[in-house]
Amino acid sequence: MADQARRSTADDPGLGGLQLLVGAGPARFVADEPVEAGGLDLGPTPHELVSAGLAACATQTMRLYARRKGWPLGAVHVEVAHAKDATATPPDQFIVTVRLDGPLSMEQQARLMEIADNCPVHRLLVGGAQITTAQGPLPDEALARSVP
């Protein structure tokens, strides 16, 4: 049986826009599209959310590794840009830039860069995932089932 993780959600109130209320862990925020794509640019796009997940995972993985090794890792900044190249396979590309602070040796820095490329989200994106999509009951159907 698969691990049971916290669920993430996206709710569209049905008002015709592209703004969504996203739930991720304990956080709630708006996701949207840029104005030129028909949105209001009120929040990150879905691709930006994936990029942010990759940046967060790489950062946390390097931090945990350095802590376990007792390395003097200071601040860490990871930036991820998403691009599409229709001539490439696969067309989606994530460009990761890492900035490490602290009195680390060249060998420690190189190892942390390897560790960044081994974070779980990086492995997920490179390896792919199985996705199963199923339609749940409509709100009125769920309500009808709960009424005696």
Side-chain angles (χ1 to χ4, degrees):
M1 178 178 214
D3 291 338
Q4 292 297 317
R6 298 193 304 189
R7 298 177 191 272
S8 295
T9 60
D11 290 298
D12 175 351
L15 301 175
L18 296 175
Q19 300 73 45
L20 308 171
L21 179 61
V22 174
R28 300 289 177 267
F29 53 92
V30 173
D32 200 0
E33 290 289 336
V35 173
E36 59 271 13
L40 298 175
D41 206 14
L42 297 175
T45 68
H47 282 94
E48 290 168 336
L49 292 170
V50 173
S51 296
L54 177 56
C57 187
T59 302
Q60 288 176 336
T61 302
M62 287 185 290
R63 173 66 61 202
L64 289 169
Y65 187 86
R67 183 180 298 158
R68 191 179 57 180
K69 293 288 189 177
W71 292 354
L73 178 60
V76 178
H77 176 81
V78 176
E79 181 176 304
V80 178
H82 172 259
K84 279 192 175 283
D85 180 354
T87 65
T89 302
D92 287 285
Q93 300 174 7
F94 293 91
I95 300 92
V96 181
T97 305
V98 177
R99 188 172 62 236
L100 303 172
D101 189 25
L104 298 164
S105 70
M106 295 302 285
E107 292 80 15
Q108 290 170 328
Q109 291 178 44
R111 182 63 180 141
L112 287 172
M113 294 300 291
E114 290 174 9
I115 293 300
D117 280 347
N118 282 305
C119 82
V121 172
H122 182 112
R123 291 194 319 259
L124 169 75
L125 291 170
V126 169
Q130 179 180 348
I131 300 173
T132 304
T133 304
Q135 184 174 355
L138 297 172
D140 56 345
E141 291 175 1
L143 181 61
R145 283 189 221 155
S146 66
V147 175

